[in-house]
Amino acid sequence: MAWLAQRATAVYLALFSTYLMIHFTFAPPTNHAELVAWVNKPAVLIALLLFIPVVLLHAFIGIRDVMIDYIHILTLRMLLNIFFSFTFVASGLLMFKAIATAGIGG
C-alpha cells in the first residue's frame, strides 16, 4: 500500500509542479494581489490545498522507507517515526495557517 501511495503522490507532485513552473514562467503575477486572485480560482486553490498533504505524505513514506532500510534498532526507528510524524503534522498545520493568513481561500 505504501508503494502505491508513494507512486500516486509522486505523479501528483510531478504534474502540479510542472503546472506551477509553466504558469510562473509564462504568466507570473506582478504583485501580491494578482497572486492571491490567481490562487483563489477554485481549481488552483483545491490543487494547492491538496498539494500540502500530498507532499507531506510523500515525504513521510520516503523517510519511513529509509528508516526501515537503514535503522535496525526498532525502538530508535519507532521514536524517529513519531518525531517525523509530529514534524510533518506541524508543518502541514503551519502551511495551512500561512495560506489562511495570506487571505487565500476566503
Side-chain angles (χ1 to χ4, degrees):
M1 182 66 182
W3 182 89
L4 182 61
Q6 186 76 359
R7 277 24 176 214
T9 57
V11 169
Y12 181 81
L13 293 173
L15 292 173
F16 188 64
S17 297
T18 301
Y19 167 71
L20 288 177
M21 285 188 293
I22 291 170
H23 176 76
F24 286 116
T25 298
F26 295 107
T30 57
N31 56 43
H32 182 262
E34 273 187 30
L35 176 65
V36 170
W38 173 72
V39 172
N40 275 325
K41 293 179 182 176
V44 176
L45 182 59
I46 290 168
L48 178 65
L49 292 175
L50 183 60
F51 179 79
I52 294 168
V54 166
V55 76
L56 294 173
L57 177 62
H58 185 82
F60 179 77
I61 293 171
I63 291 283
R64 183 192 66 103
D65 288 350
V66 168
M67 287 190 296
I68 288 171
D69 289 343
Y70 294 105
I71 299 177
H72 302 291
I73 301 168
L74 184 60
T75 306
L76 178 59
R77 188 183 327 146
M78 288 173 53
L79 288 172
L80 287 170
N81 258 330
I82 291 168
F83 169 76
F84 283 114
S85 297
F86 282 118
T87 301
F88 288 138
V89 168
S91 297
L93 292 173
L94 286 172
M95 285 186 239
F96 283 120
K97 182 180 184 245
I99 289 171
T101 304
I104 297 170

